[in-house]
């Protein structure tokens, strides 16, 4: 069966420090991968999605970047964190071959607090 | 671009009360519709989905949703809620956008349901 992992689970970082959040998927190949952010009191906002290695689309301009160095690994990064980067970051995957009907499966999330 | 509105931000019900959470979307074409639920301390998980066919969709734990195309709505219902239904509920829409490769969901802002015993 497929599983999705995210780490770390929680992170507290000072403003201006770098960030690296990792997401890995097991049990499937060539998945679509997604990064979402859930800010307090707000819904999920799509940040990035990827349909393959080194194929990444950004949905909103921001201080963050994403990379997909391996088929089942998706990394969210920042060179210098801002206070506004605080939030709950969710990684998700879906089956690539049926894009119109694919259901997204979410990881456990990373709670990031920038102080 | 499509958008999703969940007008009820916080709903408080007593056990055995009936539930209806509203979800409206803005997109004129073919859509896939989802309801996700996030129980306290748990992952976001799929509750039910609509792709085509019968507009009344049944999901897990006694939930159902009805797709009304003319109203651009996909409201979530449960005839009798339980304390264990306390969670945050998210409506999401995925629209068919030709030639863009965009395959991600647009989420509503969520509805926090609190069921009192």
């Amino acid at each position: 069966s497929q599983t999705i992992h995210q780490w770390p689970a929680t992170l507290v970082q000072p403003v201006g420090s770098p960030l690296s959040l990792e997401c890995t998927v097991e049990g499937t190949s060539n998945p679509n991968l997604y990064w979402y952010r859930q800010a307090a009191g707000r819904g999920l906002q799509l940040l990035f999605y990827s349909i393959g290695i080194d194929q990444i689309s950004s949905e909103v301009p921001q201080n963050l970047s994403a990379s997909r160095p391996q088929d089942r690994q998706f990394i969210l990064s920042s060179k210098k964190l801002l206070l506004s980067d605080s939030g709950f970051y969710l990684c998700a995957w879906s089956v690539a071959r049926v894009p119109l009907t694919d259901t997204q499966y979410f990881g456990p999330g990373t709670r990031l607090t920038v102080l | 671009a499509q958008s999703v509105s969940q007008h009820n931000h916080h709903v408080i019900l007593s056990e055995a009360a009936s539930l209806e959470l509203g979800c409206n979307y803005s997109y004129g074409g073919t859509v896939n519709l989802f309801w996700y639920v996030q129980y306290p301390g748990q992952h976001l998980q799929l509750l039910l989905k609509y792709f085509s066919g019968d507009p009344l969709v049944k999901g897990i734990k006694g939930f159902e949703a009805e797709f009304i195309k003319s109203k651009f709505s996909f409201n979530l219902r449960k005839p009798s809620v339980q304390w264990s239904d306390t969670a945050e509920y998210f409506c999401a829409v995925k629209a068919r956008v030709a030639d863009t490769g965009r395959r991600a969901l647009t989420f509503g802002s969520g509805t926090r349901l609190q069921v009192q015993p």
Side-chain angles (χ1 to χ4, degrees):
Chain A
S1 63
Q2 300 88 3
T3 55
I4 179 168
H5 305 278
Q6 286 186 245
W7 63 87
T10 59
L11 189 61
V12 180
Q13 291 284 91
V15 169
S17 64
L19 173 74
S20 180
L21 303 181
E22 190 163 342
C23 170
T24 58
V25 181
E26 297 176 356
T28 187
S29 59
N30 193 31
N32 292 327
L33 294 171
Y34 311 83
W35 276 113
Y36 289 88
R37 175 169 59 202
Q38 184 180 17
R42 300 180 65 180
L44 287 160
Q45 179 187 36
L46 177 66
L47 303 176
F48 301 94
Y49 73 97
S50 170
I51 60 173
I53 294 175
D54 295 330
Q55 298 180 68
I56 296 166
S57 297
S58 174
E59 287 291 300
V60 292
Q62 59 202 313
N63 183 44
L64 302 168
S65 62
S67 60
R68 185 171 176 174
Q70 300 180 45
D71 181 44
R72 290 169 289 175
Q73 184 185 31
F74 205 22
I75 297 173
L76 184 69
S77 304
S78 173
K79 292 182 180 178
K80 286 186 178 182
L81 283 169
L82 305 172
L83 285 174
S84 57
D85 292 325
S86 292
F88 191 57
Y89 290 82
L90 286 164
C91 182
W93 73 273
S94 66
V95 176
R97 289 183 297 279
V98 283
L100 298 177
T101 58
D102 59 335
T103 300
Q104 292 187 18
Y105 301 93
F106 288 82
T110 295
R111 187 163 300 283
L112 171 67
T113 303
V114 182
L115 301 174
Chain B
Q2 62 265 35
S3 64
V4 181
S5 297
Q6 291 181 247
H7 304 294
N8 312 107
H9 298 293
H10 190 192
V11 174
I12 301 174
L13 295 173
S14 299
E15 278 194 310
S18 64
L19 170 72
E20 182 160 3
L21 301 182
C23 173
N24 289 91
Y25 65 93
S26 64
Y27 184 75
T30 302
V31 293
N32 302 140
L33 299 159
F34 305 80
W35 275 98
Y36 281 84
V37 60
Q38 188 170 26
Y39 297 102
Q42 296 189 28
H43 299 196
L44 197 66
Q45 58 186 285
L46 182 69
L47 196 57
L48 49 77
K49 60 187 177 185
Y50 170 81
F51 292 149
S52 63
D54 188 346
L56 184 62
V57 179
K58 295 193 183 298
I60 60 172
K61 303 185 180 184
F63 285 91
E64 65 179 29
E66 185 175 12
F67 170 49
I68 303 179
K69 190 174 181 180
S70 61
K71 294 185 178 180
F72 298 91
S73 70
F74 190 54
N75 292 355
L76 182 70
R77 301 194 292 246
K78 186 171 183 179
S80 176
V81 294
Q82 301 172 310
W83 178 78
S84 58
D85 293 325
T86 294
E88 189 152 17
Y89 294 81
F90 294 92
C91 181
V93 172
K94 184 153 63 69
R96 183 197 301 252
V97 184
D99 300 327
T100 65
R102 191 177 190 279
R103 300 167 184 169
L105 297 171
T106 300
F107 281 84
S109 57
T111 297
R112 186 172 300 277
L113 172 65
Q114 185 179 347
V115 180
Q116 296 176 331

